[in-house]
Amino acid sequence: RARARTEALLHTLKRSRRVKANDRERNRMHHLNAALDELRSVLPTFPDDTKLTKIETLRFAYNYIWALSETLRLA
């Protein structure tokens, strides 16, 4: 009987840990998506209603920063 109680407690503990891990991951993704949305808002896109994917946003930001740096360097 003690073993059944221990197994039930272990199952409850595992489930609780999984729920917390899922919550942390959900929050992490919300923060990442919010940061990418903010980055998209300052990047020039054509047309304006086009939403870049995550990787496109990062690549475009990198290239945009490089181009601005080159412009400053050559000016």
Side-chain angles (χ1 to χ4, degrees):
R1 183 172 186 160
R3 182 176 178 195
R5 185 177 296 170
T6 304
E7 287 179 5
L9 184 61
L10 184 60
H11 177 72
T12 302
L13 183 61
K14 284 182 179 180
R15 182 174 176 168
S16 174
R17 286 180 182 167
R18 176 58 18 219
V19 168
K20 288 178 183 178
N22 288 347
D23 190 46
R24 284 191 304 271
E25 177 64 11
R26 192 175 308 107
N27 286 332
R28 187 186 73 81
M29 289 307 299
H30 282 305
H31 286 104
L32 177 62
N33 289 332
L36 285 167
D37 285 339
E38 193 171 333
L39 180 57
R40 282 184 195 105
S41 73
V42 298
L43 294 174
T45 58
F46 305 100
D48 288 335
D49 60 349
T50 301
K51 182 177 178 187
L52 301 172
T53 65
K54 292 174 185 177
I55 191 67
E56 288 171 341
T57 300
L58 294 174
R59 286 180 178 152
F60 188 86
Y62 175 87
N63 291 331
Y64 185 58
I65 292 168
W66 178 84
L68 291 174
S69 298
E70 284 297 300
T71 302
L72 287 175
R73 187 179 67 80
L74 296 174

